[in-house]
């Protein structure tokens, strides 16, 4: 008997050792992380280094804060997906006679409602006329969007609706600043076509990332997120945040910059080389029918299915076709989504078209429940569609006029993304 | 599929328990004896040296991804014991963790025994929180890893500078022990640390051995009862302010309290030796960190060790092969999201079947299969981790 018992035990442990009793991962279709296929070993190494930094939790000693929203990139973008409502970024400002005031002297435009021990967190100041909640977006596939040439976006824009389809996408144009010109110049270095992105358009530069297309490229987005979301300084943004209500500009005690330019570069490379989300049951007849309806009722006018990257120093991103379902342009979404807050040249009702890829598995990264639209106010795809107004009102109405079967086919298509 | 694999492994090991022919070894000592009930200590009249060494292999797979196989020399601990006089003794423990990556003076204390019911202790002590903290020597355990609850909710090994009193007395058929200490307590770092969650262990710091960061000692106490058929049942509590809330007599923050309550037990049921520990921690989290850093944590584990074979070979007359099983769970953030009213997760559940082989009571070879279900902060689908650990630990 003892020998048999020992053999049973040994057999079980041997099975474990051989990997028989080890868990498989979810299928790639259920995940958003992972690299673009075809990278070189050195690129894989840099991606992993960026991944580790993306996951790094900052503490007080590392330079967290003094005010912040999250303690790591990954906390907002769990599994590289769209974030949970607890990490909503609240942004505020006020309308004035001379335009929208982001209330920088009062701590705007972003609320940092968390703080390190002994330091007061921010509160939304008095006099605000608009507050908007921004759920952290999914980050998979961003490298493809980053690699789209300005010329492509300029060609997609139709600010005066010349084609008469009721959709008038606008470019977000930012006035030149030292930071914008620096991030554009840094990213142009090594590019096989340095002039393809960072084009001067109407005296400014095209914004493409963020709910209102606030940032011009992934480097701009990354250093901004380090500072505004985590209170972590970098070479490009070396001054810590502080809460004006604290009555002092003193911040944390960590030496600045709190992350090196190399760290930032690794994180940017990580974001650039995250694979695009995979489709599920893309060839199913019901899904194909839903996709056709999506196009027929005009959804694809803003959620453009296919874009092509320009020249890229990363071979796997060089001139490739991809399917994000966005045009990266600003669109008027009507009063339904007008929070009275804005950024850059966008109107308060204008939002940059969010990519739809990955939307079908969004709940896997938001705690099991999906929160749609910029602030998560919709908890179902149907509700999200119903909240589309402005340029999307016709498409929304056409959707609501569809038969229940056709509506379900369209929703099934969305769930396949 | 996954569930089937875990179930299969668990059933295989459960079968070992059911058919076990042997009897667990009984232990009549109490938890507070842990420091002195070590081999090679107390056997010499003056000063003695002892210690233990612990090493293991790791092979883990998380959701199909593995970093491969690795080996580690986890701990090399040296004890120094001296019977200074009939009633005064000194004990210290110097720990080298992962080679020389981490070196710590874990214990350095003097005991002055007035009577068995009253002994005064001072120095770097092990606060009597739960069972494992005072009984953490690796060769005593039949598992490669310490339980999560005993390292995360109770931050074992927790050693602090302080003083107090302990003792024991009889009460009918029962033996009652008590321990009570004042110590410098834990410091900053429990929140806003690089773990991104409330991490009580991050409140440990070298500075606390030199000076209390807030001048307010922590209190720890444990009362335990041992009796026939009962085994040992202990209740313990630890509380103290952890943040620096005063500087030069001026209030610079609110005083923030950490309180941990633990229930531990050890007994035998038939051939099985059972040991478990449950702990609950309440942490006063600053308003700017609420929700992100949990204000409540809890966890527990149950270990079952069943001797299945007493082989006699090569002069090892007390050798024993045991089947072992641990189930454990820790919730690092017991609360609810204000934004969604849904439960905050950040928890881990694990099942650890395995075998241990003790050629002598002081030496143990261990083979553990671990399976973890880890839920992240928002409560996304659990990450599945499983792997095999082979380990050796021995006193010397």
């Amino acid at each position: 008997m003892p020998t048999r018992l020992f053999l049973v035990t040994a057999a079980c442990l041997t099975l474990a050792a051989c990997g028989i009793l080890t868990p498989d991962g979810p299928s790639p279709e259920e995940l958003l992380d992972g690299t673009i296929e075809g990278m070189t070993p050195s690129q894989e190494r840099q991606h992993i280094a960026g991944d580790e930094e993306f996951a790094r939790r900052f503490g007080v000693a590392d330079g967290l804060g003094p005010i912040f929203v999250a303690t790591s990139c990954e906390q907002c973008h769990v599994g590289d997906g769209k974030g949970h409502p607890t990490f909503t970024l609240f942004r505020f400002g006020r309308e004035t006679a001379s335009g929208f005031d982001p209330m920088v002297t009062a701590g705007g435009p972003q609320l940092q409602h968390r703080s390190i021990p002994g330091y007061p967190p921010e509160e939304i100041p008095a006099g605000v006329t608009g507050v908007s909640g921004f759920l952290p977006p999914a980050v998979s596939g961003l490298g493809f969007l980053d690699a789209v040439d300005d010329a492509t976006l300029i060609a997609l824009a139709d600010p005066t609706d010349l084609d008469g389809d009721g959709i008038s996408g606008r470019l977000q144009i930012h006035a030149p600043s030292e930071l914008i010109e620096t991030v554009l110049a840094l990213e142009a270095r090594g590019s096989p076509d340095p002039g393809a992105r960072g084009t001067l358009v109407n005296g400014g530069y095209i914004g493409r990332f963020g709910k209102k297309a606030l940032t011009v490229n992934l480097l701009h987005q990354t250093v901004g997120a380090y500072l505004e979301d985590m209170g972590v300084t970098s070479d490009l943004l070396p001054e810590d945040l502080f809460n004006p209500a604290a009555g002092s500009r003193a911040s944390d005690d960590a030496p600045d910059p709190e992350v090196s330019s190399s760290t930032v570069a690794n994180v940017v490379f990580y974001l650039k080389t995250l694979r695009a989300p995979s489709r599920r049951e893309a060839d199913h007849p019901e899904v194909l029918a839903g996709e056709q309806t999506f196009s027929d009722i005009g959804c694809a006018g803003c959620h453009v299915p296919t874009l092509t990257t320009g020249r890229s120093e990363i071979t796997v991103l060089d001139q490739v076709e991809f399917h994000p379902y966005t045009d990266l342009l600003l669109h008027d979404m009507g009063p339904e989504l007008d929070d009275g807050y804005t950024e850059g040249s966008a109107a308060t009702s204008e939002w940059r078209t969010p990519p739809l890829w990955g939307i079908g598995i969004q709940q896997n990264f938001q705690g099991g429940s999906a929160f749609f639209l910029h602030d998560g106010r919709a908890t179902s795809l149907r509700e999200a569609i119903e909240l589309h107004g402005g340029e999307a009102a016709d498409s929304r109405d056409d959707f609501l006029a569809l038969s229940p079967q056709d509506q379900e086919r369209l929703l099934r298509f969305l769930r396949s993304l | 599929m996954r569930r089937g694999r875990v179930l299969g492994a668990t059933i295989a090991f459960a079968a070992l328990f059911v058919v076990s022919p042997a009897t667990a070894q009984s232990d009549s000592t109490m938890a507070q004896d842990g420091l002195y009930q070590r081999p090679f200590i107390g056997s010499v009249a003056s000063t003695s040296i002892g210690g233990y060494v612990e090493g293991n292999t790791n092979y883990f797979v998380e959701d199909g991804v593995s970093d491969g196989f690795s080996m580690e020399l986890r701990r090399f601990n040296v004890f120094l014991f001296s019977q200074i006089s009939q009633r005064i003794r000194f004990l210290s423990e110097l720990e080298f963790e992962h080679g020389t990556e981490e070196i710590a003076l874990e214990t350095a204390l003097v005991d002055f025994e007035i009577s068995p019911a009253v002994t005064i202790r001072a120095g770097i002590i092990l606060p009597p929180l739960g069972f494992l903290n005072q009984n953490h020597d690796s060769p005593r355990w039949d598992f490669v890893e310490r339980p999560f609850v005993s390292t995360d909710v109770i931050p074992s090994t927790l050693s602090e500078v302080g003083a107090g009193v302990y003792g024991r007395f009889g009460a009918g058929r029962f033996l009652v022990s008590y321990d009570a200490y004042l110590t410098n307590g834990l410091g900053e770092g429990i929140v806003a640390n690089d773990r991104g969650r409330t991490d009580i262990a991050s409140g440990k710091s070298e500075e606390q051995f030199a000076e209390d960061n807030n001048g307010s000692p922590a209190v720890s106490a444990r009362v335990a009862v041992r009796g026939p058929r009962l085994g040992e049942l202990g209740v313990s509590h630890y509380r103290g302010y952890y943040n620096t809330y005063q500087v030069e007599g001026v209030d610079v923050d609110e005083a923030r309290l950490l309180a941990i309550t633990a229930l531990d037990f050890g007994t035998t049921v038939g051939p099985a030796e059972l040991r478990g520990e449950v702990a609950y921690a309440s942490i006063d989290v600053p308003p700017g960190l609420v929700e992100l850093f949990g204000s409540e944590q809890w966890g527990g584990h149950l270990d079952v060790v069943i001797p299945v074979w007493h082989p006699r070979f090569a002069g090892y007359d007390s050798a024993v092969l045991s089947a072992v099983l641990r189930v454990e769970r820790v919730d690092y953030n017991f609360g609810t999201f204000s934004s969604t009213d849904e439960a905050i997760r950040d928890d881990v559940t694990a099942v650890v079947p395995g075998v241990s082989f003790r050629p002598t009571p002081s030496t143990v070879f261990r083979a553990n299969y671990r399976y973890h279900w880890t839920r992240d902060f928002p409560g996304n689908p659990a990450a599945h981790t499983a792997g095999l650990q082979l380990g050796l630990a021995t006193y010397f």
Side-chain angles (χ1 to χ4, degrees), chain A residues 2 5-6 9 12-13 16-17 20-25 57-60 62 68 78 86-87 114-115 364-367 369, chain B residues 2 5 12 16 19 63-64 192-194 288-289 291-292 309 321 337 342 355 367 369 371 376 378 380-381 384 386 388:
Chain A
L5 289 171
F6 183 79
T9 307
C12 287
L13 293 170
I20 306 299
L21 294 175
T22 54
D24 297 328
R57 302 291 171 99
F58 285 85
V60 173
D62 309 305
F68 62 96
V78 176
T86 200
F87 294 108
R114 296 185 171 115
S115 63
N364 289 353
F365 313 97
Q366 294 185 305
S369 305
Chain B
R2 250 188 222 125
R5 288 174 177 177
L16 294 179
V19 298
D63 285 341
N193 51 54
D194 61 6
L289 297 173
E291 213 171 85
L292 203 57
W309 188 23
L321 178 75
F337 286 116
E342 291 174 353
V355 293
Y369 169 75
Y371 201 105
D376 63 10
N380 290 312
H384 296 252
L388 179 69

Side-chain angles (χ1 to χ4, degrees), chain B residues 344-378:
Chain B
I344 299 171
R345 296 304 296 259
D346 196 11
D347 54 50
V348 60
T349 303
V351 177
V352 189
V355 293
S356 69
F357 175 66
R358 291 180 180 275
T360 74
S362 299
T363 301
V364 59
F365 295 87
R366 303 176 285 215
N368 292 171
Y369 169 75
R370 300 184 65 87
Y371 201 105
H372 299 181
W373 293 260
T374 307
R375 295 290 290 263
D376 63 10
F377 181 67

